[in-house]
Amino acid sequence: MVKDHVATISSVFDDILNFFPPGIVLSVAAGCVEHRKYWNVYVKEFVGTMLMVGFTFSAGKWIGQDSWIVAWAIHAVGVVLADYFGGGQMVNPAVTVSMWSLGKCNYTECFVRIAGQMGGGLVAFPLFHAISNQFQLTPFGGPEFKKENDVEAFLSEFTATFFLMWAIYLLNWEMNFGDYHYIIKQTLTAFAIRALIELFPVAGPAMNPMLATAWYVFGVGTTYEYPDDNIHYFVYWVAPILGGIFAAVTYAIYNGDQIFGIKVPVGPLKGKKDKKD
């Protein structure tokens, strides 16, 4: 009798776990570190990531299929709306690590933000796929690359992320558009992202480790499985994170910031330029 109950509980437990994307439990658990000190950060990254996927991946799929101009415009609007309604979150592990390296957040916050981003991505792709099926819309796609092009894919992700970070630094920290700063800098960020997508297509591009892995888990014919080939992580995690850190180093040389708490021996170039002026 006891065995029957245990078997029933086991079956229910298995059904529940199969309902959730793999890793979602660990993602939520990570948001609870330090007595849920960073829980609000986790939730905002989780929700912000879902909004980012929904608003930006629908461009060219649900809206603007027949016009690249419309697709670009919808993508730009999506970037702005996702950031606005998501509360201005990072929604990108490479961006988060770059900000951590510059001292904009501590290690624990960096860890929690990435956990929230991964959780949001793991939920977003199957959710929007279900919506696509329900309303007979074109399903979302995601970043992929051919394994024989792994070197080119690595360099593409590295370079695209490097330029993405510099766009973020300049538009957020170096430029001021007055009363319309937010809407202008977010619109320019959206067009910078779209331009990088067109210029660096070898690996998608992703420019975002979360997008690549969350898409792989759901969207490339696997059944909720993580990549078992290390080359995926080399291209989609190592390359953009190194690109983000390298961008941070060059920004520190320009601005005089520290990298991982260490003063860069070169620069700041910004200060020298101001003195000359």
Side-chain angles (χ1 to χ4, degrees):
M1 184 176 183
V2 173
K3 289 183 178 180
D4 292 338
H5 289 303
V6 172
T8 301
I9 293 172
S10 174
S11 178
V12 172
F13 179 76
D14 186 60
D15 290 339
I16 292 174
L17 288 185
N18 287 333
F19 180 76
F20 292 103
I24 193 66
V25 174
L26 291 177
S27 169
V28 175
C32 298
V33 298
E34 291 195 21
H35 305 286
R36 296 195 301 169
K37 178 180 178 180
Y38 299 98
W39 178 249
N40 286 339
V41 170
Y42 173 86
V43 171
K44 288 178 180 179
E45 287 286 357
F46 191 106
V47 174
T49 297
M50 292 187 64
L51 290 173
M52 182 269 287
V53 172
F55 278 124
T56 61
F57 276 64
S58 56
K61 297 294 184 180
W62 294 358
I63 306 173
Q65 300 96 321
D66 302 321
S67 171
W68 68 267
I69 296 177
V70 174
W72 272 54
I74 294 300
H75 182 269
V77 172
V79 170
V80 175
L81 291 178
D83 184 83
Y84 180 79
F85 289 114
Q89 303 311 304
M90 299 180 190
V91 300
N92 184 334
V95 173
T96 302
V97 172
S98 186
M99 294 300 175
W100 169 49
S101 71
L102 285 169
K104 304 303 181 182
C105 63
N106 61 37
Y107 173 80
T108 305
E109 182 180 339
C110 173
F111 174 75
V112 171
R113 284 186 180 277
I114 293 174
Q117 293 156 10
M118 284 303 302
L122 290 169
V123 171
F125 280 109
L127 172 63
F128 290 114
H129 185 76
I131 293 174
S132 297
N133 287 341
Q134 178 67 32
F135 295 99
Q136 297 183 335
L137 300 169
T138 303
F140 289 178
E144 299 176 36
F145 71 97
K146 296 179 180 179
K147 290 184 179 180
E148 57 267 27
N149 295 334
D150 58 339
V151 174
E152 292 83 357
F154 178 94
L155 294 174
S156 178
E157 285 295 296
F158 177 94
T159 308
T161 305
F162 174 84
F163 286 120
L164 171 64
M165 291 313 308
W166 263 101
I168 291 172
Y169 301 153
L170 292 174
L171 292 171
N172 285 273
W173 300 338
E174 300 297 325
M175 296 181 178
N176 190 322
F177 301 104
D179 294 338
Y180 301 98
H181 177 74
Y182 178 80
I183 188 66
I184 293 175
K185 67 102 174 176
Q186 281 304 121
T187 302
L188 291 175
T189 299
F191 279 104
I193 292 171
R194 194 70 197 188
L196 290 170
I197 290 173
E198 300 297 331
L199 290 171
F200 298 95
V202 179
M207 297 181 290
N208 186 330
M210 174 278 299
L211 289 177
T213 299
W215 167 250
Y216 185 99
V217 169
F218 177 78
V220 296
T222 59
T223 306
Y224 278 164
E225 296 176 355
Y226 283 88
D228 58 4
D229 190 339
N230 291 334
I231 197 65
H232 170 93
Y233 302 102
F234 180 68
V235 169
Y236 286 126
W237 283 83
V238 176
I241 286 176
L242 288 180
I245 292 174
F246 184 58
V249 171
T250 57
Y251 183 77
I253 292 172
Y254 166 74
N255 195 52
D257 288 337
Q258 294 183 340
I259 293 294
F260 297 114
I262 301 172
K263 183 72 173 71
V264 179
V266 183
L269 301 180
K270 182 180 180 180
K272 292 179 180 179
K273 181 178 181 300
D274 291 343
K275 288 179 181 179
K276 289 180 180 180
D277 294 341

